[in-house]
Amino acid sequence: MQKLLILQNLWGMDRLRGQADRDLAGNVAHIADGGFDGFSYTWFEREDARRTADPGKAHGLIYEVRSLAHDIDSQKPVLEWGTEFGVHQISIQTQARPRRLGDVVAILEGWQRLAEQVDFAVNIETHRGGMTNDLLVTLDLLEAVPSLRLTADISHYVVGREIGLPVAPETDTQLHEILRHAEAYHGRVASSEQVQVSLSFAHARPWIELFQTWWRFGFADWRARSGPDAKPTFLCELGPQPYAIAGADGEELTDRWEESLLLRDLARTCW
């Protein structure tokens, strides 16, 4: 039976309002108590991978790894650690930034060849600042590499291209094409000017409804093209400042943990 697995980003556990900072094990336990299926972490060294594995297994959670690869070879150690410690999937937040499309394609195809050697999924994350920075360029990449697997975080395109309301039909079609290549999702609601809007504010409602429309489309498309027992992931990725909006006192305006739980429930509703 197909099932949506919902994860919480460990980055989003930093400096939670009204909560003392926890160590890795404490954060993983809190995520498990919050009803999530897993979590996400960034690996820089083998020790990061080793430390991540034990608390996850102790709570029966899966984990996604964010890789900050800057060329083909820099992805190899992360894949080796993933095999050694049993990662669920890897999302590459690309740090390589070639200017020529052909150079980008060469790196993507190199990563694809490496991914064929492991038994877990490896996706390319849509994210500002890397290869997938721009929506239109990413569409060109999908034409050049149709087999590209994406971790779709469409919040970056909404703020990056200042997509306003109502969304133009052409833009909506372009985002649908991104979602048709999504094998995993990173969840955050953006506006045309802010990458992370507060979910509990009334004026954010039109943006929340817009993202729900896109997530429902993405989930329905994924279900139609995937096997009967497949399980995609949706990562709740509400980040601390400067992603989170703060008041004059420097404190976040909303409770980020409570909003992560709300985002979890929104994703389940869309599924």
Side-chain angles (χ1 to χ4, degrees):
M1 179 179 177
Q2 293 178 339
K3 178 185 178 182
L4 180 67
L5 303 177
I6 302 184
L7 316 182
Q8 166 67 15
N9 193 352
L10 279 171
W11 170 61
M13 303 297 289
D14 292 349
R15 307 188 305 278
L16 291 173
R17 192 170 77 176
Q19 299 187 30
D21 287 340
R22 303 175 180 84
D23 60 11
L24 174 62
N27 274 329
V28 172
H30 196 56
I31 289 169
D33 291 341
F36 293 93
D37 299 295
F39 58 94
S40 174
Y41 200 60
T42 302
W43 286 351
F44 297 97
E45 304 289 343
R46 181 182 178 278
E47 179 61 16
D48 298 324
R50 187 197 64 77
R51 291 191 311 113
T52 306
D54 290 342
K57 292 176 181 177
H59 292 280
L61 301 180
I62 64 170
Y63 57 97
E64 170 191 298
V65 169
R66 174 182 287 106
S67 169
L68 303 178
H70 54 79
D71 57 24
I72 295 174
D73 288 344
S74 62
Q75 179 64 13
K76 292 179 180 178
V78 182
L79 296 176
E80 293 171 358
W81 304 333
T83 298
E84 182 177 1
F85 295 107
V87 70
H88 180 74
Q89 66 190 17
I90 290 177
S91 287
I92 304 177
Q93 189 182 111
T94 64
Q95 302 302 294
R97 301 175 179 90
R99 183 171 180 178
R100 294 179 61 252
L101 184 66
D103 293 336
V104 178
V105 169
I107 295 174
L108 291 174
E109 290 178 340
W111 284 336
Q112 285 185 321
R113 289 192 295 271
L114 292 177
E116 292 171 356
Q117 302 173 26
V118 298
D119 59 2
F120 49 82
V122 180
N123 306 323
I124 304 298
E125 183 179 352
T126 61
H127 200 285
R128 288 171 298 158
M131 292 176 174
T132 58
N133 175 77
D134 184 76
L135 172 60
L136 302 185
V137 172
T138 305
L139 294 174
D140 288 341
L141 291 176
L142 291 174
E143 286 187 2
V145 190
S147 59
L148 198 62
R149 299 171 53 97
L150 296 181
T151 293
D153 185 343
I154 53 180
S155 67
H156 291 287
Y157 293 141
V158 172
V159 69
R161 294 195 64 84
E162 294 193 354
I163 297 172
L165 297 172
V167 177
E170 179 184 22
T171 301
D172 196 50
T173 298
Q174 291 166 347
L175 286 166
H176 282 187
E177 185 63 20
I178 296 294
L179 292 167
R180 287 191 179 96
H181 287 79
E183 297 296 339
Y185 309 84
H186 282 186
R188 180 190 303 111
V189 174
S191 72
S192 56
E193 306 300 334
Q194 297 169 342
V195 73
Q196 180 173 301
V197 301
S198 297
L199 302 178
S200 54
F201 289 175
H203 62 257
R205 176 51 52 185
W207 296 103
I208 296 171
E209 292 174 352
L210 173 63
F211 273 75
Q212 286 181 289
T213 298
W214 282 329
W215 290 333
R216 283 194 294 268
F217 172 87
F219 293 161
D221 180 82
W222 183 92
R223 296 177 85 149
R225 57 183 161 84
S226 301
D229 298 319
K231 297 178 176 62
T233 59
F234 181 98
L235 174 66
C236 297
E237 202 181 21
L238 302 182
Q241 296 178 52
Y243 271 65
I245 301 172
D249 58 359
E251 295 296 321
E252 292 181 34
L253 299 181
T254 54
D255 187 322
R256 190 168 7 103
W257 173 250
E258 290 300 321
E259 293 212 337
S260 292
L261 300 179
L262 176 58
L263 185 57
R264 175 203 64 189
D265 293 343
L266 287 174
R268 285 176 176 163
T269 299
C270 291
W271 176 258

